[in-house]
Amino acid sequence: MPADWLSITHYPSPLGPLTVVTGPGGLCRLAFPGEEPGATRSYLAQKFPGATINVDENGSSCREVLRQLDEYFDGRRFSFSLRLDLRGTPFQLIVWSALQKIPYGTTCSYSHIARLTGRPGAVRAVGQAIGRNPVGIIIPCHRVIGKDGRLVGFGGGLATKKWLLNFEEGNLKTNQTSTGR
């Protein structure tokens, strides 16, 4: 395939079908069920102008992504090791990198992420960058909560955020109990 191609497939997660988009540079989009119709294609047109978009019915273009998602939802994967093709501003890339440092099964505040970026006063900008995370779950923006502990802001919806946090917390407890920790 030429360098300007993208493949879309759907992953049947416990949350509903996730839209997975990969290209030559790696995973570039993971969208939650219930996303606005056309939002993924609009995102791809903006970030990957001129790319040919193919529907990959059997997921052959993203086998590794699907395998790691299977392991995550089976409770056997606590972090992802995928090639990512992220298109964002330098600040967004810094924020997305900081999000990847949040341990599985834990949460932190937006102000904590702002401190990790070296810009402790940029809490709102951090929130905006988190809101533009193109690969939720893989870059775990669901682990960021309000300073007061409330669940706030999540592109997949607060019910999905709550499900992911409960899933990780319960899975972590189960694994700690079974390993005697």
Side-chain angles (χ1 to χ4, degrees), residues 93-102 113 116-117:
L93 295 172
I94 289 167
V95 170
W96 299 339
S97 177
L99 292 174
Q100 294 177 70
K101 296 178 175 112
I102 307 170
I113 296 298
L116 284 178
T117 69

Side-chain angles (χ1 to χ4, degrees), residues 1-16:
M1 285 189 180
D4 59 348
W5 62 268
L6 297 171
S7 286
I8 295 179
T9 194
H10 297 283
Y11 174 80
S13 82
L15 302 165

